[in-house]
Amino acid sequence: AGVVLALATAARRFGRLELPRGRALLLLALAVNVLTALYAAGSATVYYWDSNIYWSSSTMLAGQSLDLAQVRLVLQSVITQEYNYLLSWPISLVMRVLGTGRYVYLFAIANLYVLPALAGMAALARRVRRGGVLLACATPMLLYTGLTGFVDVAAAGVGIWAFVIYTDQERPQSARGILTGALLTLVFLLRRYFFFFTVSFGLASLAALAVRRSQWKSFAAMAASGVVCSLFFGQSFLVEQVLRSNYFDTYSAYDQGRWVDAVMLCRYFGWVLMAAALVCVVWCLLRRPAARYTALLTLAQPVLCLLLFTRVQSHGQQHLLLYLPALCAALACPALAADTDPLTIVNNLSDFIFSCIKAVGVIVLGWGIVQLGMSIQSHDASQRTQGILCVFGGLLIAFSKEILSAIGVV
């Protein structure tokens, strides 16, 4: 009761977080559901292992009686099973009404887990007009990972909200720390490998104190809250699934080398986006003294997480979600740090992001022109078709800002 009361008091002291207008969130919700429908209708692939395990457990729970016995089963699974039922149970509630088919499973993931993560992105970029839409468009791997059946997107969403709360330096430090510590506990209860995220976040927060020691109260509150919540809500989990689990031996066979990790990062995030995030962080470190604490946190956390995780295994698609919260926070860092007119914030961040997008479009356009020229020389019809598609695709990407402006989105 004391832990719950402390969390409730911290939430009250933190106050209400200003989110963007409902119109932007409604646009995101509509786009997510439309894309989910198109993917479900156009793809018949069912991904084995994690996706199939959670679909099966959700179906199993939906077929049981909804009573206290099922609640106990869900809570016990946190201790006894690596793929616990914490994320399957909410989906099973939807399945009780709409059925247990694949469409229902994917729509449940999109609405229960992807949308809250997108709302967190909107909260990170709340000082920028339609900043949440820009972040969502810049990180499509979140929705794609959810559409392939990975409920891990829920843990990534919790990680994003941890960044939202902890980096809001206008709020009381103790309230920020207590709430963040609770979220960092929740994130590894949902998916065990997010323990790397929790540890790296704590270490990065400690390292960030080097540039702003006045934030020690928030760090101390976060550390105390994390320890207390872990012992109160996840003591058995920590003992059975983390401390007594030989994680290194279990997953050492999945270690395929650092080159595979680099390829996965570039494949799902893109080197241009990662470079843009790095530029944002470095710019804040050099030009915005008030933002150095947040910038150093967003830089150190994914680096530490990468070093810790790669000591155990290589990355799968879902493991890349470990770095999504910091990536979003890095891209939003200039807007949160700016102390100029709000219109300047909007123009600078929007111009920067769209400049990166235009650069990618120009590269695709140039490659399409090269392919088109080579196809004319070699009389290769398939290469000519691919070249034409690259040209049109590059034009669409390069002039995406103008297209969005014409239809009234930007």
Side-chain angles (χ1 to χ4, degrees):
V3 175
V4 176
L5 180 61
L7 293 175
T9 303
R12 181 178 57 81
R13 292 189 59 204
F14 185 87
R16 183 178 179 182
L17 187 65
E18 294 183 4
L19 292 175
R21 296 180 180 178
R23 187 176 178 182
L25 297 178
L26 182 62
L27 177 63
L28 285 174
L30 179 62
V32 165
N33 281 277
V34 169
L35 291 174
T36 302
L38 293 175
Y39 178 85
S43 172
T45 303
V46 176
Y47 291 88
Y48 190 65
W49 209 250
D50 290 26
S51 175
N52 190 49
I53 287 174
Y54 279 103
W55 186 7
S56 300
S57 60
S58 300
T59 302
M60 181 268 294
L61 292 173
Q64 295 179 351
S65 299
L66 184 59
D67 50 22
L68 290 178
Q70 185 177 85
V71 175
R72 284 195 296 268
L73 175 65
V74 172
L75 296 178
Q76 289 173 358
S77 69
V78 177
I79 306 172
T80 59
Q81 299 188 35
E82 179 181 352
Y83 299 93
N84 61 62
Y85 299 151
L86 286 179
L87 292 173
S88 300
W89 190 63
I91 298 176
S92 71
L93 300 179
V94 178
M95 287 182 169
R96 291 177 184 274
V97 179
L98 302 178
T100 59
R102 176 171 171 264
Y103 277 45
V104 176
Y105 178 66
L106 295 181
F107 272 101
I109 292 177
N111 288 276
L112 293 177
Y113 301 142
V114 174
L115 285 181
L118 294 178
M121 292 184 186
L124 275 174
R126 59 189 177 276
R127 295 186 182 180
V128 178
R129 186 187 178 197
R130 296 187 176 89
V133 177
L134 293 176
L135 278 181
C137 293
T139 54
M141 69 88 60
L142 173 70
L143 177 59
Y144 177 72
T145 305
L147 293 180
T148 52
F150 288 106
V151 296
D152 310 57
V153 293
V158 176
I160 291 173
W161 279 104
F163 269 100
V164 171
I165 293 174
Y166 194 73
T167 58
D168 191 350
Q169 299 182 28
E170 298 177 358
R171 312 284 177 158
Q173 291 193 33
S174 58
R176 290 191 288 120
I178 291 173
L179 294 177
T180 304
L183 290 176
L184 293 177
T185 301
L186 175 62
V187 75
F188 70 78
L189 289 178
L190 295 177
R191 290 298 281 128
R192 183 173 69 167
Y193 67 85
F194 264 83
F195 191 73
F196 292 104
F197 176 87
T198 298
V199 173
S200 60
F201 193 101
L203 294 176
S205 302
L206 178 61
L209 291 177
V211 295
R212 179 165 290 189
R213 296 181 180 178
S214 60
Q215 294 294 318
W216 68 270
K217 291 182 181 179
S218 60
F219 172 77
M222 179 189 67
S225 174
V227 171
V228 171
C229 289
S230 298
L231 294 176
F232 184 77
F233 295 108
Q235 178 182 4
S236 300
F237 172 85
L238 284 174
V239 174
E240 299 295 334
Q241 296 291 332
V242 177
L243 298 180
R244 290 185 180 177
S245 176
N246 199 339
Y247 202 85
F248 290 88
D249 289 344
T250 303
Y251 291 94
S252 59
Y254 292 90
D255 189 0
Q256 303 178 47
R258 303 294 76 82
W259 174 250
V260 173
D261 297 313
V263 170
M264 291 293 290
L265 287 168
C266 291
R267 177 183 178 185
Y268 285 97
F269 288 124
W271 62 268
V272 174
L273 185 66
M274 291 189 291
L278 181 60
V279 169
C280 289
V281 170
V282 173
W283 181 80
C284 288
L285 286 172
L286 298 178
R287 302 294 297 274
R288 286 289 184 268
R292 285 174 181 169
Y293 181 79
T294 300
L296 186 55
L297 171 64
T298 57
L299 177 63
Q301 188 275 320
V303 173
L304 291 172
C305 189
L306 179 68
L307 293 176
L308 292 173
F309 189 85
T310 51
R311 288 179 61 86
V312 178
Q313 66 174 97
S314 298
H315 292 80
Q317 176 187 345
Q318 71 277 26
H319 301 135
L320 299 178
L321 293 169
L322 288 166
Y323 313 103
L324 182 64
L327 181 66
C328 294
L331 293 172
C333 193
L336 294 175
D339 51 7
T340 57
D341 183 73
L343 291 178
T344 305
I345 299 173
V346 175
N347 293 332
N348 289 343
L349 185 61
S350 297
D351 291 342
F352 177 77
I353 293 177
F354 279 114
S355 296
C356 295
I357 295 174
K358 180 168 288 189
V360 175
V362 171
I363 294 174
V364 175
L365 176 61
W367 176 243
I369 294 174
V370 170
Q371 283 191 314
L372 191 59
M374 294 177 62
S375 67
I376 295 175
Q377 181 182 5
S378 61
H379 303 285
D380 189 342
S382 62
Q383 190 177 18
R384 186 182 302 114
T385 302
Q386 189 174 1
I388 293 173
L389 291 176
C390 282
V391 169
F392 279 105
L395 289 173
L396 288 175
I397 297 172
F399 294 98
S400 58
K401 182 178 181 179
E402 289 75 8
I403 294 172
L404 292 174
S405 298
I407 62 178
V409 175
V410 177

